[in-house]
Amino acid sequence: MSTLRFKAVEEAFKKKALQVSSPSRYVSDFYGKYVFTSSTMARYLSKETLKAIRNAVEKGETLHRAIADDVAAGMKMWAMELGATHYTHWFQPLTDGTAQKHDSFIDYANGPGESIIEEFSGKLLAQQEPDASSFPNGGIRSTFEARGYTAWDPSSPAFVMDDTLCIPTIFISYTGESLDLKAPLLKALGVVNRAATDVCHYFDPNVRKVYSYLGWEQEYFLIDEGLFATRPDLLLTGRTLLGHESAKNQQLEDHYFGAIPTRVTAFMKDLEFEGYKYGIPLKTRHNEVAPNQFELAPIFSETNLAVDQNLLIMSIMKKVSRRHGFRILLHEKPFAGINGSGKHNNWSLGTDTGVGLLTPGKTPEENLQFVTFLVNILMAVYKNNALLKASISSATNAHRLGANEAPPAIISAFLGTQVSSILNQLENSTTEQAIVVDSRKRLSLGISHIPEVLIDNTDRNRTSPFAFTGNRFEFRAVGSLANCSSAMTAINAAVAAQLIEFKQTVDGKISQGATKEKAIFEVLKEYIKISKPIRFDGNNYSDEWKEEAARRGLDCETSVPKIFNAYTTPASIHLFTSTGVLSEKELHARNEVKWETYTKKIQIEARVAGDLAINHIIPIATRYQSVLLDNLYKIKAVYPPEKAAELSRLDASLVEEIATHVATIKENVDAMVEARKVANRLECVYEKALAYHDTVLPYFDVIRYHADKLELIVDDEMWTLPKYRELLFIR
């Protein structure tokens, strides 16, 4: 390691005194301390107010302003007891992150100039007015049309962060369009509840509500803060634009589920403690496959709450990591040649009667309900595979998909042998038949002191982007940096639309004289045949699958700007408008935002790559080249011609090799800059995004290839950028 890089790490450790809070012995003693939970509300709100909130969340009843005043008074009292002095509406603009504007509780007691009081009314709780034109909106609002509103979401609890009461809200324009990711998600959850409940009534008339559940798995990298500070590409883009792979990376598979490094364990304990205080039920922690890569995962929650908790934990991770001398990398592909990071979304549906709709039952009727929902989900995924891919696509996730254990940019569903066999039998049956799903088998290992192992009804397929894992589907294609709302809005809306169509079709057959069971069987058989192209249990990484997927008619597009077009196809517009989740205007506006964001991210990376190449790599390489040339002159001055020629052969070869790489880098950086200039002159945001993808992005790999070759040649003491072997192994 160069002296400069060593000092950077050393200074980071000197500045960091790890101040880790000591949690109580029992998590339950402090769990949810900073969250306005139902149990907390019961201490600060009247029974009538508490009942009104529950009815609003569970039954969709309107909250009156008087109720909001009562909630605001209790919420303020609770928050101030925890040290809060400000409040904010915490919302999710179209940036994949969160936003907030803090206001103090203070107001004049008796008019201007008099004493002040702490005040927080129902009006302030219910809505705020941030600047709508300053957030991405896709042309819905002009710069001179700045008014927008945030509105309280009582289904997600408020919390206190530092000295601020944070109130989860939606964000809408003055004219009513959604400007965020939460509002469409709430609409999608509402419509899937209604559609699924109607279908459940075929099997159980007691069902009153169906919940969408989400369990996310957050993968991330940790690197030393000192090293992070000396990598401009990590600092500005979240990934390394240059860097040759380490001699040892993940090829020995020794990091996965291995012993967690001591420093990382301290960070994880601190993070869990902070997460528990905010009611985030963190359950799992472990080493992931790549060096310095880790994962955390919570217990399943209702989808809206789970999304908010994921956004909150990503924010907390950034703070806690710095207390331990680390920086968190949430980019989907921060390092080339090793695994990227995903955020697997484990998604399922369940009823208010405690039934998991994706859990096989114990009776034929329960299993018919299970198969009904399973097949309708397959139909939804089949019909909307391009849309689902668009929901998880981004400039950052594009680097991960299809590389090092990430699923490819083709959506398919894995079911496993047993479930696939059941569907095949139904497809080929001529009469109604009882559906039997085997209970978990027992596997005897033949070792006397080892108990029998219970085998699940499906294996796992780590290459599948949408895999059934026994009682849920795992949407593995979601990126680690993403807001889960996008993927969850798409899947819940698609499934809702499909269930509505299913019920209409079944009811039509019943009205024509078919029995309920016969009508359901006939429709399911038809759906199984139609959706068969989406089912694939093999290796999604193989080239053969890509060819087969194209033959099946699945969407195989890999250009991110083109992938986004799936949002505005006639089918997608009908899906979102018919369910009331998004209007056609909102869909087109969101695509404008997506294309603009894509362009800006590639533009930033191009500028950083050019800066690194011209101001770091080339000067270092030419400096080392000068050292070699100086050595050549000295050899010729000391040795006779024949000996000098023999001794200088290596240095001469290196001088020529460096010159070739430097010239190629300079040539491609110049060409990339010109391509950017041409792209920047395009006025259409879609055409500009395409130009950046097609004419700017291809230069990245060429520049990187030659810069990485120079990294292998140049003296390590001269190379100022930390290398992969230093970045990827925590000491």
Side-chain angles (χ1 to χ4, degrees):
M1 184 186 292
S2 71
T3 303
L4 177 62
R5 301 201 301 276
F6 179 79
K7 286 183 177 179
V9 178
E10 189 177 43
E11 286 302 312
F13 277 116
K14 287 180 180 178
K15 292 178 181 178
K16 294 294 177 185
L18 302 186
Q19 299 175 349
V20 182
S21 304
S22 299
S24 164
R25 179 181 175 186
Y26 300 106
V27 173
S28 57
D29 290 344
F30 56 87
Y31 187 81
K33 176 181 178 181
Y34 292 98
V35 184
F36 202 52
T37 60
S38 295
S39 58
T40 304
M41 288 184 196
R43 300 199 305 270
Y44 291 87
L45 306 179
S46 67
K47 291 182 179 180
E48 293 75 16
T49 298
L50 190 58
K51 182 179 179 181
I53 292 177
R54 287 173 176 168
N55 287 341
V57 174
E58 296 296 325
K59 301 178 182 179
E61 295 181 2
T62 302
L63 275 176
H64 298 292
R65 185 52 58 91
I67 295 296
D69 285 334
D70 194 13
V71 174
M75 193 180 287
K76 184 195 74 170
M77 183 183 301
W78 165 77
M80 290 183 65
E81 288 176 3
L82 291 173
T85 57
H86 291 67
Y87 66 93
T88 183
H89 277 197
W90 188 74
F91 58 103
Q92 304 170 27
L94 302 178
T95 59
D96 269 352
T98 59
Q100 49 196 287
K101 174 175 72 76
H102 296 196
D103 286 308
S104 171
F105 285 130
I106 65 169
D107 202 351
Y108 285 117
N110 298 301
E114 299 292 330
S115 59
I116 60 170
I117 59 171
E118 283 86 7
E119 186 175 62
F120 184 57
S121 66
K123 179 181 178 180
L124 298 176
L125 167 65
Q127 70 179 61
Q128 273 191 328
E129 185 186 331
D131 191 337
S133 66
S134 297
F135 289 100
N137 60 65
I140 286 179
R141 305 297 291 162
S142 302
T143 301
F144 60 86
E145 297 174 315
R147 196 180 296 277
Y149 300 106
T150 51
W152 173 39
D153 171 20
S155 65
S156 187
F159 57 92
V160 172
M161 177 67 75
D162 298 325
D163 66 349
T164 304
L165 169 64
C166 300
I167 304 154
T169 62
I170 63 169
F171 180 34
I172 59 173
S173 72
Y174 179 72
T175 47
E177 291 89 1
S178 300
L179 295 177
D180 69 343
L181 294 171
K182 179 186 270 281
L185 175 64
L186 292 176
K187 292 176 182 179
L189 296 178
V191 72
V192 80
N193 161 39
R194 294 189 292 273
T197 299
D198 286 345
V199 173
C200 282
H201 288 164
Y202 285 138
F203 310 98
D204 183 359
N206 296 315
V207 173
R208 292 290 175 265
K209 187 168 185 178
V210 170
Y211 298 92
S212 170
Y213 291 103
L214 169 63
W216 41 263
E217 302 171 21
Q218 181 70 61
E219 295 176 343
Y220 60 95
F221 281 83
L222 286 173
I223 67 167
D224 285 305
E225 188 168 27
L227 295 177
F228 175 87
T230 60
R231 289 286 311 215
D233 48 358
L234 283 177
L235 188 67
L236 298 176
T237 73
R239 76 180 182 108
T240 53
L241 298 172
L242 307 172
H244 197 281
E245 67 178 27
S246 171
K248 178 186 182 298
N249 47 49
Q250 67 183 46
Q251 67 266 48
L252 294 179
E253 300 173 337
D254 55 342
H255 189 258
Y256 189 51
F257 278 26
I260 302 173
T262 303
R263 285 180 60 201
V264 177
T265 300
F267 157 75
M268 288 178 169
K269 288 180 179 179
D270 198 6
L271 176 63
E272 287 174 352
F273 176 50
E274 293 295 325
Y276 292 151
K277 289 193 298 186
Y278 289 96
I280 304 173
L282 299 177
K283 178 77 171 177
T284 302
R285 66 188 188 202
H286 64 82
N287 289 3
E288 256 301 332
V289 175
N292 280 23
Q293 187 186 34
F294 308 93
E295 180 182 297
L296 60 84
I299 303 171
F300 272 50
S301 299
E302 184 275 325
T303 296
N304 179 42
L305 177 60
V307 169
D308 284 359
Q309 289 180 338
N310 179 247
L311 291 170
L312 182 55
I313 199 65
M314 287 196 292
S315 176
I316 293 173
M317 289 168 76
K318 294 174 184 178
K319 293 181 180 180
V320 174
S321 65
R322 299 195 70 173
R323 295 210 293 252
H324 294 262
F326 290 127
R327 281 298 185 105
I328 285 278
L329 298 182
L330 293 173
H331 192 290
E332 284 83 359
K333 197 72 174 178
F335 302 101
I338 60 175
N339 277 23
S341 294
K343 178 153 44 200
H344 305 160
N345 279 203
N346 293 278
W347 170 81
S348 65
L349 298 172
T351 70
D352 60 342
T353 58
V355 175
L357 296 177
L358 294 179
T359 302
K362 297 179 180 179
T363 67
E365 186 174 40
E366 290 175 346
N367 282 325
L368 178 57
Q369 177 175 266
F370 159 68
V371 171
T372 294
F373 279 92
L374 181 79
V375 172
N376 274 282
I377 290 168
L378 291 176
M379 276 292 286
V381 174
Y382 170 62
K383 290 197 278 189
N384 300 282
N385 67 93
L387 174 64
L388 291 178
K389 181 166 66 177
S391 76
I392 56 88
S393 292
S394 66
T396 54
N397 203 22
H399 297 291
R400 164 183 168 260
L401 294 180
N404 294 92
E405 289 199 15
I410 302 169
I411 299 297
S412 64
F414 166 83
L415 297 180
T417 305
Q418 184 181 162
V419 178
S420 293
S421 176
I422 291 170
L423 297 191
N424 292 337
Q425 289 175 27
L426 281 177
E427 178 187 357
N428 298 317
S429 66
T430 56
T431 59
E432 300 166 38
Q433 62 182 54
I435 300 173
V436 179
V437 180
D438 292 339
S439 59
R440 295 203 293 178
K441 299 177 182 178
R442 296 179 181 273
L443 177 64
S444 177
L445 302 178
I447 305 174
S448 60
H449 60 280
I450 301 295
E452 291 179 321
V453 176
L454 295 177
I455 306 300
D456 287 295
N457 56 31
T458 176
D459 198 351
R460 289 197 175 196
N461 188 330
R462 299 187 64 174
T463 72
S464 177
F466 198 77
F468 182 66
T469 57
N471 60 2
R472 63 191 182 275
F473 277 96
E474 184 178 16
F475 200 178
R476 297 179 60 87
V478 184
S480 59
L481 196 58
N483 184 325
C484 299
S485 293
S486 181
M488 289 296 99
T489 298
I491 187 61
N492 282 288
V495 170
Q498 179 55 43
L499 290 173
I500 292 170
E501 180 183 319
F502 170 76
K503 188 167 191 307
Q504 291 172 345
T505 306
V506 170
D507 286 351
K509 289 183 178 292
I510 293 174
S511 68
Q512 294 172 6
T515 64
K516 180 184 71 175
E517 289 74 14
K518 182 176 178 60
I520 291 174
F521 267 103
E522 286 181 358
V523 177
L524 290 181
K525 284 179 60 177
E526 181 183 358
Y527 284 0
I528 291 170
K529 292 176 183 177
I530 294 173
S531 64
K532 209 164 188 177
I534 203 67
R535 290 160 49 190
F536 181 66
D537 288 358
N539 181 8
N540 287 256
Y541 295 156
S542 67
D543 292 333
E544 291 79 10
W545 164 238
K546 296 174 185 176
E547 297 172 2
E548 173 64 22
R551 284 194 295 270
R552 294 185 183 189
L554 302 183
D555 188 277
C556 299
E557 183 60 66
T558 58
S559 169
V560 173
K562 291 181 179 178
I563 288 173
F564 290 147
N565 285 325
Y567 271 104
T568 51
T569 62
S572 292
I573 291 172
H574 175 72
L575 164 67
F576 285 113
T577 56
S578 66
T579 55
V581 174
L582 286 164
S583 68
E584 184 172 354
K585 180 180 181 181
E586 289 170 328
L587 287 167
H588 284 287
R590 282 159 193 265
N591 264 13
E592 295 273 316
V593 173
K594 290 176 183 291
W595 288 322
E596 188 174 344
T597 301
Y598 179 87
T599 296
K600 289 177 179 178
K601 288 195 174 184
I602 303 301
Q603 184 181 70
I604 291 169
E605 288 191 349
R607 288 173 174 171
V608 173
D611 172 63
L612 287 176
I614 300 301
N615 297 312
H616 287 255
I617 306 303
I618 290 179
I620 294 167
T622 53
R623 192 182 312 153
Y624 183 59
Q625 188 182 45
S626 297
V627 172
L628 295 175
L629 286 170
D630 183 59
N631 192 48
L632 285 174
Y633 283 118
K634 290 177 180 177
I635 288 175
K636 290 180 180 180
V638 173
Y639 294 98
E642 290 185 3
K643 187 66 174 178
E646 178 185 346
L647 294 175
S648 63
R649 190 176 296 115
L650 175 59
D651 284 356
S653 174
L654 289 176
V655 166
E656 186 175 349
E657 189 175 351
I658 290 171
T660 300
H661 290 308
V662 166
T664 306
I665 290 172
K666 181 65 167 64
E667 177 184 338
N668 279 275
V669 169
D670 290 345
M672 180 177 67
V673 171
E674 288 304 312
R676 278 209 329 264
K677 291 179 180 178
V678 172
N680 290 339
R681 287 195 287 269
L682 298 173
E683 294 186 3
C684 172
V685 290
Y686 175 57
E687 294 297 332
K688 184 180 290 188
L690 275 182
Y692 264 88
H693 177 274
D694 296 342
T695 66
V696 177
L697 189 60
Y699 287 108
F700 286 23
D701 288 341
V702 181
I703 294 169
R704 178 172 197 146
Y705 173 82
H706 290 279
D708 290 355
K709 288 296 183 183
L710 287 173
E711 182 183 316
L712 296 177
I713 297 172
V714 174
D715 182 359
D716 186 64
E717 281 293 323
M718 290 185 174
W719 199 264
T720 57
L721 297 175
K723 299 181 178 180
Y724 272 26
R725 67 168 186 263
E726 298 153 2
L727 294 171
L728 285 173
F729 298 94
I730 291 173
R731 295 163 180 81

